[in-house]
Amino acid sequence: MKIFSGTSNKPLAQKIAKNLGIALSDLEVFVFPDGEKRVRILDKVLDEDVVVVQSTSGPTDENYMQLFFILDGLKRSGAKSITAVIPYFGYQRQDHMFRFGEAVSVKVIAKILESLGLNKLIAVDLHSIKIKEAFNIPVTHLSALSVFAKTIKEKGWNENSATLVSPDMGGVRRIKILSEILNNMPYAVIEKNRDLATGNVSAEKITGKIGKKAIIVDDMISSGGTIALAGEILKKNGAEEIYVFATHPVFSDKAPKILQESEVAKVYVTDTVFVPEEKRFPKLEILSVSEMIAESIKSS
Ligand code: R5P
């Protein structure tokens, strides 16, 4: 087996390779002065099972183009099978037509990946379980919930001291699963509304009882607005310590500041998306999904 990495999240790819006991194979990404890229596979892959790691976080279009070229290069070099590990899967928000006339971007991406000869996809915490249906190839959908549960247990937080909180209705399934792993830890749900035109979020009510320690669980943090709002609501409803566990630190420009200044004490995220130094802040802690991904590659 050979494992390659695009440029979006090489630290994670290196950790996955280390867990597999192999070194990353070489490829070259050359950038022309006008921004176009040329990708060249430098290791031999003829008749090899190949894994490519590339997160398609921002700049999403560039990272996807790079992945497309890597897949094409591998196919033309005779790879026997190709598995793409896309720890953060960009363009998954638009998994159906919310309003008439909208493009269904996840289906467009699936079509392109399949047309390039991709055999299998491994992704982490897709926004919706329906996203798998956009593909005709096998999709392994991993979840960082087990990584979160491990940290929560290590901290000694349990069903008597903490409440899990979903910051929106879409996350109910997620906290129910985590609650089961954590000995039926109680949970509550904030009903959030998002304006489809502006992206602004507002909250209406909480279902469930909030204890003194609240653990917000989400799939991604982008602007930080959802978490900041949830923090305020939880504080007003009696929470004294608020923690966040979110899989993908997508972090748009103002997110680090918003999160640092929010009511939450600590923000745990994973390394599905590489967080550059300038976006790191004191309340942030990064957990790794590398072992989980390596195990999935080994077992497939
Ligand atoms: C929404 O449905 C997602 O689960 C996240 O809550 C959302 O994408 C977070 O976005 P933001 O940080 O921009 O509020």
Side-chain angles (χ1 to χ4, degrees):
M1 178 197 293
K2 296 252 165 116
I3 177 162
F4 289 82
S5 176
T7 60
S8 69
N9 197 346
K10 221 164 175 181
L12 173 64
Q14 268 154 347
K15 281 189 192 161
I16 296 171
K18 196 168 170 208
N19 273 291
L20 291 170
I22 53 177
L24 276 184
S25 289
D26 280 338
L27 58 78
E28 177 190 82
V29 180
F30 176 81
V31 184
F32 290 95
D34 64 357
E36 278 194 7
K37 283 156 201 75
R38 182 185 66 208
V39 167
R40 187 170 170 225
I41 307 300
L42 299 175
D43 271 11
K44 289 203 169 39
V45 294
L46 186 65
D47 293 331
E48 292 272 3
D49 292 314
V50 176
V51 174
V52 188
V53 182
Q54 175 81 325
S55 249
T56 48
S57 48
T60 307
D61 298 0
E62 284 195 28
N63 288 331
Y64 263 122
M65 285 311 284
Q66 203 185 91
L67 175 62
F68 298 156
F69 296 150
I70 294 171
L71 295 178
D72 190 60
L74 289 170
K75 204 73 198 165
R76 289 174 192 279
S77 308
K80 185 166 82 183
S81 74
I82 311 175
T83 298
V85 176
I86 310 185
Y88 172 73
F89 193 94
Y91 281 124
Q92 59 175 304
R93 287 185 180 99
Q94 201 71 24
D95 61 356
H96 64 274
M97 268 175 70
F98 293 87
R99 294 172 299 178
F100 178 75
E102 287 179 343
V104 183
S105 47
V106 76
K107 289 203 170 168
V108 175
I109 299 293
K111 272 187 206 163
I112 300 174
L113 290 172
E114 288 175 0
S115 73
L116 290 168
L118 185 66
N119 300 97
K120 189 180 168 187
L121 169 66
I122 299 178
V124 183
D125 283 333
L126 292 166
H127 187 56
S128 133
I129 48 171
K130 279 206 219 137
I131 290 172
K132 282 173 86 168
E133 292 167 18
F135 289 86
N136 296 307
I137 55 170
V139 178
T140 300
H141 184 191
L142 301 175
S143 169
L145 290 179
S146 55
V147 177
F148 295 163
K150 187 167 170 266
T151 305
I152 291 170
K153 282 182 194 162
E154 280 167 5
K155 297 276 168 205
W157 301 335
N158 60 37
E159 68 280 11
N160 301 314
S161 63
T163 307
L164 298 170
V165 178
S166 174
D168 56 36
M169 294 300 287
V172 175
R173 193 181 151 270
R174 203 172 297 126
I175 50 165
K176 278 187 179 168
I177 296 172
L178 188 56
S179 164
E180 268 177 37
I181 304 174
L182 293 169
N183 213 16
N184 295 323
M185 189 177 271
Y187 59 83
V189 181
I190 296 174
E191 287 189 30
K192 174 188 88 172
N193 281 328
R194 185 182 289 273
D195 185 312
L196 287 177
T198 63
N200 292 338
V201 288
S202 59
E204 291 201 321
K205 61 171 187 169
I206 300 182
T207 313
K209 196 170 165 285
I210 304 296
K212 291 202 168 132
K213 197 192 303 292
I215 303 174
I216 304 172
V217 183
D218 210 347
D219 59 340
M220 69 167 102
I221 302 177
S222 178
S223 67
T226 299
I227 297 300
L229 183 65
E232 273 172 38
I233 293 169
L234 292 172
K235 203 80 187 181
K236 273 189 214 148
N237 283 272
E240 289 171 8
E241 279 173 66
I242 305 166
Y243 299 94
V244 176
F245 284 82
T247 308
H248 309 295
V250 175
F251 291 175
S252 55
D253 281 350
K254 288 186 190 144
K257 188 170 184 287
I258 290 174
L259 294 168
Q260 180 61 29
E261 289 174 0
S262 72
E263 298 287 358
V264 308
K266 194 115 198 156
V267 179
Y268 294 91
V269 295
T270 78
D271 53 359
T272 55
V273 176
F274 177 70
V275 183
E277 211 49 56
E278 65 275 15
K279 285 196 175 177
R280 298 189 181 203
F281 50 97
K283 287 182 179 175
L284 182 71
E285 192 162 323
I286 303 175
L287 310 171
S288 187
V289 290
S290 57
E291 210 182 310
M292 178 177 83
I293 293 175
E295 286 307 316
S296 169
I297 294 170
K298 275 187 218 163
S299 66
S300 61

